[in-house]
Amino acid sequence: MREDVENLDIRDVTANWVNAEVLARQIDDRIKALADLSHTPLFFGRLDYLHAPGADRAEGAEGERFYIGRRHVHDAEGDPMVIDWRAPVSQPFYRASKKDPLDVALRRRFGYTAGDLTAYEDEHLSDPAEAATTSKLLQQEIERPRVGPMRDIVATIQPEQDEIVRSGLSGSVCVQGGPGTGKTAVGLHRVAYLLYAHRERLARTGTLVIGPNKSFLHYIEQVLPALGELEVKQATVDDLVAHVEIRGTDDAAAAVIKGDARMAEVLRRAVRSHVTLPTEPVVVVRGSRRWRVPAYELERIVRELMDRDIRYGAAREALPQRIAHAVLVQMERSGEAPDDRVQDAVARNAAVKAAVKALWPPVDPAKLVLRLLTDADFLAVHADGILDEDERKEILWARPVRSTKTAKWSLADAVLIDEATDLVQRTHSLGHVVLDEAQDLSPMQYRAVGRRCTTGSATVLGDLAQGTTPWATRSWDEALAHLGKGDAVIEELTAGFRVPTDVITYASRLLPHIAPGLTPVASVRENPGFFEVRTTATDAAVIDACAELLRNEGSIGLIAADARVPALTEALTAAGIGHLGPGEETTHDTRLTLVPASLAKGLEYDYVVLDEPRAVVDGEPDERTGLRRLYVALTRAVSGLIVTHTAPLPSQLG
């Protein structure tokens, strides 16, 4: 298939060089999408239907066989050999069961080792004599060691996951899932499915995956290309609101207030305060005639625009045309017959321009936010009845700032500027947005993401128990309301495919303290996993634990409180143990990653050493956030976990 595309001759099929360039680029993208992936088979399953799908199910009708894979594959004549996992005919591979076989006689799973076919396993779903069994190949694939970035899960998608993946484009979905339930993979595969089912529409409107940090995005960046989807953009929330250079930080109290949804109304008031009601008429001179628009009529025009509550910039662009129209009405009454060209000329008249500048002056979003944060009186006027005096003092900058370029903006400030920018000019909306680790966003950050999908839909992924910011959301209903997707369906994934039973049971001791009411994750892994808590006298035991786990196959993560990372770096180097930082890809020779606890979210390793749980908790502004950070760190392991500590463990771990 790839060679067919590479051999296409487009010299005589394009009308001009522009068409040729576009077609050449599309061909290049197609070639990239058809790339072979080492150790990744093109098919992983087979379905034998009792009857051909869509055909009359009369007695004696022949069935049909389909091979299921991550990509559609056809032969030289164009006949399908492998069916894309997203196609409707592939759905029973994930949904069929002994209880509901969906007209499937046989489901076959193929097992591979390093890309070679090594096993297969059959389920005769329509045979009442055969009992339902747990697939060994499926279990082995789920428990296979992890090395390198995240991979696709098309061979192991579970029925409850498939239901979310294939939900429609028009509706938004929120997925609450504990550690190892596959929520990130479900979100990414949902994007792949939507691009398959609604390719033309999403090609026009665009799709975006939003992650918590660059390390996380690097970890997941190969999943969609492996499924042939190359056009999905990835970003962090910070990337979305990068209107200014970030050079400062907020303390937790100020960040919480700046991230509060009430700030949206403060900004709206501040933007609208620039509008001034007229006290003087506008006099337009054209040739020997003077046309006068009185102040009361100008006021009516201004108030009408304000009442419509359209974007500030859009109203400002409409104002000169409204004034010009008032002049044209006078011209028509006097017997003239002006047309649209005359109205445009009047709108560009110097007197009209001067009036617009005075009545509806341009607003620079960054300057507006800077004034709110540095001018106590300006803030007091527009936050009256919204923020109390103590809250206003908390967000005011201690020193005056000369300009927006010299200001030491924080991330929370950038979100405020993004809100102000949208009040002035509408933000472009995409067709679909996936928001991962959503529990950590502030209400204002939710609004920033929501602006990017006002006319599209969203897939929101997260775990309330893993909220590790002081402003972390308390409920999905609240978060979805700020996102502008209050009608989203909330789904919960509770089956754990990644974290071993003993590890998730230990970590779940924290749930009553960090997220009461959440259903604990139930591990479906047959392997209980390796788990040990070691009380040690010196830090050397941490390095010994790393060396011990490196004897196993797979990736190793050493997770520690951020403040302890420099010392552990020195200790690993002194012991001659090579290691990487988050976001760097593991190799056969270097399989250990030293991970600050603040960057552990969303990552996974075959084996984990967790250093000093008490230090992880104490590294956060408050105990609840610290315990949530610890919950994240405890649940990064796929096969085994060693917890080492010299200080006493947090009492919540029992």
Side-chain angles (χ1 to χ4, degrees):
M1 287 169 66
R2 189 171 60 249
E3 286 171 358
D4 286 346
V5 180
E6 289 171 340
N7 293 331
L8 285 175
D9 186 352
I10 63 171
R11 286 175 295 181
D12 299 324
V13 298
T14 53
N16 53 52
W17 69 271
V18 176
N19 289 350
E21 286 290 327
V22 171
L23 187 55
R25 181 177 175 181
Q26 291 174 340
I27 288 173
D28 286 343
D29 288 343
R30 176 69 173 162
I31 292 169
K32 290 176 186 175
L34 289 170
D36 285 317
L37 299 179
S38 60
H39 308 319
T40 302
L42 282 173
F43 66 94
F44 50 80
R46 191 183 101 189
L47 286 178
D48 291 3
Y49 279 88
L50 291 171
H51 309 89
D56 183 14
R57 296 190 179 186
E59 193 170 335
E62 290 188 12
E64 197 165 356
R65 173 178 296 171
F66 299 96
Y67 286 86
I68 313 299
R70 63 182 180 86
R71 297 296 313 279
H72 167 84
V73 182
H74 60 247
D75 62 17
E77 282 71 44
D79 294 325
M81 299 174 68
V82 179
I83 305 298
D84 194 300
W85 66 276
R86 297 167 287 188
V89 76
S90 303
Q91 185 171 334
F93 184 80
Y94 304 106
R95 303 269 188 103
S97 64
K98 290 291 292 185
K99 188 178 293 185
D100 185 11
L102 299 176
D103 200 45
V104 173
L106 178 142
R107 173 169 56 200
R108 173 170 289 179
R109 300 181 192 273
F110 294 97
Y112 291 85
T113 302
D116 294 328
L117 179 63
T118 53
Y120 68 87
E121 179 183 77
D122 288 347
E123 298 171 86
H124 297 87
L125 298 176
S126 296
D127 183 356
E130 184 176 295
T133 58
T134 301
S135 168
K136 296 294 183 184
L137 286 180
L138 182 63
Q139 201 68 37
Q140 289 171 12
E141 176 64 19
I142 289 173
E143 298 185 14
R144 184 156 58 94
R146 266 80 165 156
V147 176
M150 186 179 186
R151 59 176 185 263
D152 68 74
I153 61 163
V154 290
T156 63
I157 293 173
Q158 300 299 292
E160 64 272 21
Q161 295 175 325
D162 187 67
E163 192 172 332
I164 297 170
V165 166
R166 295 178 193 265
S167 54
L169 176 61
S170 58
S172 293
V173 179
C174 174
V175 183
Q176 158 64 41
T181 55
K183 56 186 178 295
T184 297
V186 166
L188 294 174
H189 287 68
R190 175 159 157 74
V191 172
Y193 171 77
L194 292 175
L195 285 167
Y196 176 89
H198 308 277
R199 189 166 302 282
E200 288 189 10
R201 179 176 169 185
L202 289 177
R204 293 194 310 269
T205 56
T207 51
L208 175 67
V209 174
I210 302 173
N213 52 57
K214 297 291 187 185
S215 298
F216 178 84
L217 293 178
H218 180 74
Y219 177 63
I220 67 169
E221 67 184 358
Q222 293 306 316
V223 175
L224 289 168
L227 301 174
E229 303 300 345
L230 307 173
E231 298 300 316
V232 180
K233 292 182 171 57
Q234 297 182 351
T236 64
V237 175
D238 299 344
D239 295 331
L240 299 184
V241 299
H243 303 285
V244 291
E245 183 183 356
I246 305 302
R247 297 189 295 135
T249 56
D250 288 311
D251 60 35
V256 168
I257 297 168
K258 289 178 181 179
D260 194 298
R262 293 175 297 162
M263 288 301 298
E265 177 59 20
V266 175
L267 289 164
R268 194 191 72 82
R269 289 183 184 180
V271 168
R272 292 284 167 173
S273 71
H274 289 76
V275 178
T276 304
L277 292 177
T279 57
E280 300 288 335
V282 171
V283 179
V284 176
V285 179
R286 282 184 61 81
S288 61
R289 300 293 299 271
R290 293 163 62 87
W291 306 98
R292 182 175 179 275
V293 182
Y296 72 83
E297 189 167 355
L298 288 174
E299 182 177 340
R300 177 182 59 77
I301 293 171
V302 170
R303 287 191 183 278
E304 281 181 359
L305 287 172
M306 292 179 69
D307 291 343
R308 286 182 61 191
D309 203 29
I310 59 177
R311 295 296 191 279
Y312 184 92
R316 187 173 190 275
E317 291 172 3
L319 182 56
Q321 290 291 338
R322 294 294 184 88
I323 296 173
H325 179 72
V327 172
L328 258 66
V329 170
Q330 294 185 30
M331 289 180 176
E332 289 170 348
R333 286 174 183 165
S334 69
E336 295 190 19
D339 57 17
D340 290 345
R341 290 174 298 176
V342 174
Q343 180 167 325
D344 289 340
V346 172
R348 295 193 299 269
N349 182 276
V352 174
K353 285 184 175 180
V356 170
K357 186 175 181 179
L359 300 175
W360 212 291
V363 170
D364 182 301
K367 288 181 179 177
L368 176 80
V369 173
L370 184 63
R371 187 178 176 190
L372 279 171
L373 297 176
T374 57
D375 186 335
D377 293 336
F378 188 67
L379 177 61
V381 168
H382 301 300
D384 183 41
I386 300 176
L387 303 179
D388 61 33
E389 186 176 354
D390 290 339
E391 288 175 317
R392 296 198 300 270
K393 286 180 179 177
E394 191 66 54
I395 64 173
L396 275 170
W397 291 359
R399 298 178 182 176
V401 178
R402 290 183 180 179
S403 70
T404 56
K405 290 185 178 180
T406 59
K408 291 187 176 180
W409 298 107
S410 69
L411 293 173
D413 297 333
V415 178
L416 295 179
I417 294 171
D418 190 69
E419 178 85 25
T421 302
D422 184 70
L423 288 167
V424 174
Q425 207 73 42
R426 184 182 296 277
T427 304
H428 174 68
S429 175
L430 298 165
H432 192 77
V433 169
V434 174
L435 175 61
D436 205 351
E437 300 296 347
Q439 72 280 345
D440 276 338
L441 269 60
S442 70
M444 291 298 284
Q445 287 175 317
Y446 280 120
R447 290 176 62 89
V449 174
R451 284 192 284 279
R452 272 76 187 177
C453 55
T454 50
T455 58
S457 55
T459 299
V460 180
L461 313 165
D463 179 11
L464 296 177
Q466 296 186 59
T468 51
T469 56
W471 49 83
T473 189
R474 296 183 181 275
S475 77
W476 289 123
D477 287 334
E478 180 183 316
L480 292 168
H482 293 311
L483 194 70
K485 303 297 179 186
D487 58 348
V489 176
I490 300 176
E491 304 280 0
E492 187 170 8
L493 296 175
T494 57
F497 303 99
R498 174 171 55 79
V499 186
T501 303
D502 291 353
V503 175
I504 196 63
T505 301
Y506 183 72
S508 294
R509 295 181 183 183
L510 297 174
L511 282 180
H513 307 281
I514 60 176
L518 274 192
T519 305
V521 172
S523 178
V524 298
R525 297 170 68 93
E526 290 186 345
N527 179 2
F530 170 73
F531 173 63
E532 192 174 337
V533 179
R534 298 178 180 176
T535 305
T536 63
T538 66
D539 287 344
V542 181
I543 308 304
D544 292 342
C546 292
E548 177 185 330
L549 292 180
L550 281 168
R551 299 188 193 110
N552 300 317
E553 180 188 2
S555 57
I556 316 295
L558 169 56
I559 302 177
D562 292 30
R564 288 182 53 79
V565 168
L568 290 172
T569 299
E570 290 184 11
L572 288 169
T573 303
I577 298 177
H579 60 280
L580 306 164
E584 296 180 285
E585 194 167 326
T586 55
T587 65
H588 178 74
D589 297 322
T590 308
R591 294 180 290 120
L592 175 67
T593 304
L594 176 56
V595 187
S598 62
L599 296 180
K601 191 171 298 178
L603 306 180
E604 60 181 36
Y605 303 92
D606 280 295
Y607 294 90
V608 167
V609 178
L610 175 58
D611 167 74
E612 293 295 351
R614 171 49 63 186
V616 173
V617 175
D618 292 344
E620 299 299 327
D622 59 84
E623 186 177 63
R624 187 186 188 196
T625 304
L627 290 172
R628 287 181 166 186
R629 184 76 72 188
L630 177 58
Y631 181 74
V632 171
L634 283 167
T635 53
R636 299 304 95 199
V638 173
S639 299
L641 169 68
I642 297 176
V643 178
T644 64
H645 67 102
T646 55
L649 292 171
S651 60
Q652 292 84 352
L653 283 174

PDB file of all heavy atoms in Angstrom, residues 32 45 57 233 320 372 462 514:
ATOM      1  N   LYS A  32       3.623   8.674   5.485  1.00  0.00           N
ATOM      2  CA  LYS A  32       3.969   8.627   6.916  1.00  0.00           C
ATOM      3  C   LYS A  32       2.963   7.794   7.696  1.00  0.00           C
ATOM      4  O   LYS A  32       3.321   7.040   8.599  1.00  0.00           O
ATOM      5  CB  LYS A  32       4.019  10.045   7.486  1.00  0.00           C
ATOM      6  CG  LYS A  32       5.188  10.884   6.996  1.00  0.00           C
ATOM      7  CD  LYS A  32       5.079  12.300   7.542  1.00  0.00           C
ATOM      8  CE  LYS A  32       6.163  13.204   6.955  1.00  0.00           C
ATOM      9  NZ  LYS A  32       5.985  14.614   7.398  1.00  0.00           N
ATOM     10  N   GLY A  45      -6.502  -9.868  15.766  1.00  0.00           N
ATOM     11  CA  GLY A  45      -7.696 -10.655  16.051  1.00  0.00           C
ATOM     12  C   GLY A  45      -8.413 -11.092  14.793  1.00  0.00           C
ATOM     13  O   GLY A  45      -8.114 -10.642  13.681  1.00  0.00           O
ATOM     14  N   ARG A  57     -30.410 -12.972   7.451  1.00  0.00           N
ATOM     15  CA  ARG A  57     -29.965 -14.078   8.289  1.00  0.00           C
ATOM     16  C   ARG A  57     -30.825 -15.322   8.084  1.00  0.00           C
ATOM     17  O   ARG A  57     -31.203 -16.004   9.028  1.00  0.00           O
ATOM     18  CB  ARG A  57     -29.975 -13.663   9.762  1.00  0.00           C
ATOM     19  CG  ARG A  57     -29.003 -12.542  10.072  1.00  0.00           C
ATOM     20  CD  ARG A  57     -28.850 -12.325  11.556  1.00  0.00           C
ATOM     21  NE  ARG A  57     -27.900 -11.263  11.842  1.00  0.00           N
ATOM     22  CZ  ARG A  57     -27.485 -10.948  13.073  1.00  0.00           C
ATOM     23  NH1 ARG A  57     -27.959 -11.601  14.112  1.00  0.00           N
ATOM     24  NH2 ARG A  57     -26.627  -9.968  13.255  1.00  0.00           N
ATOM     25  N   LYS A 233      -3.008  17.831  17.251  1.00  0.00           N
ATOM     26  CA  LYS A 233      -2.047  18.673  17.962  1.00  0.00           C
ATOM     27  C   LYS A 233      -2.087  18.364  19.457  1.00  0.00           C
ATOM     28  O   LYS A 233      -3.100  17.926  19.995  1.00  0.00           O
ATOM     29  CB  LYS A 233      -2.357  20.154  17.714  1.00  0.00           C
ATOM     30  CG  LYS A 233      -2.119  20.590  16.273  1.00  0.00           C
ATOM     31  CD  LYS A 233      -2.404  22.075  16.096  1.00  0.00           C
ATOM     32  CE  LYS A 233      -1.956  22.580  14.735  1.00  0.00           C
ATOM     33  NZ  LYS A 233      -2.580  21.842  13.624  1.00  0.00           N
ATOM     34  N   PRO A 320     -18.660  52.219  14.154  1.00  0.00           N
ATOM     35  CA  PRO A 320     -18.590  53.204  13.062  1.00  0.00           C
ATOM     36  C   PRO A 320     -19.636  52.958  11.973  1.00  0.00           C
ATOM     37  O   PRO A 320     -20.171  53.910  11.390  1.00  0.00           O
ATOM     38  CB  PRO A 320     -17.163  53.047  12.514  1.00  0.00           C
ATOM     39  CG  PRO A 320     -16.671  51.742  13.018  1.00  0.00           C
ATOM     40  CD  PRO A 320     -17.365  51.515  14.318  1.00  0.00           C
ATOM     41  N   LEU A 372      -5.273  45.972  36.721  1.00  0.00           N
ATOM     42  CA  LEU A 372      -6.031  45.365  37.818  1.00  0.00           C
ATOM     43  C   LEU A 372      -5.116  44.888  38.941  1.00  0.00           C
ATOM     44  O   LEU A 372      -5.461  44.987  40.129  1.00  0.00           O
ATOM     45  CB  LEU A 372      -6.850  44.177  37.305  1.00  0.00           C
ATOM     46  CG  LEU A 372      -8.183  44.476  36.619  1.00  0.00           C
ATOM     47  CD1 LEU A 372      -8.749  43.207  35.992  1.00  0.00           C
ATOM     48  CD2 LEU A 372      -9.187  45.067  37.604  1.00  0.00           C
ATOM     49  N   GLY A 462      -9.789  12.273  34.110  1.00  0.00           N
ATOM     50  CA  GLY A 462      -9.127  12.615  35.358  1.00  0.00           C
ATOM     51  C   GLY A 462      -9.543  11.719  36.504  1.00  0.00           C
ATOM     52  O   GLY A 462     -10.347  10.793  36.362  1.00  0.00           O
ATOM     53  N   ILE A 514      -8.524  11.623  51.105  1.00  0.00           N
ATOM     54  CA  ILE A 514      -8.290  12.545  49.989  1.00  0.00           C
ATOM     55  C   ILE A 514      -9.476  12.675  49.042  1.00  0.00           C
ATOM     56  O   ILE A 514      -9.618  13.693  48.363  1.00  0.00           O
ATOM     57  CB  ILE A 514      -7.039  12.118  49.177  1.00  0.00           C
ATOM     58  CG1 ILE A 514      -7.217  10.706  48.589  1.00  0.00           C
ATOM     59  CG2 ILE A 514      -5.785  12.195  50.041  1.00  0.00           C
ATOM     60  CD1 ILE A 514      -6.061  10.261  47.708  1.00  0.00           C
TER      61      ILE A 514
END
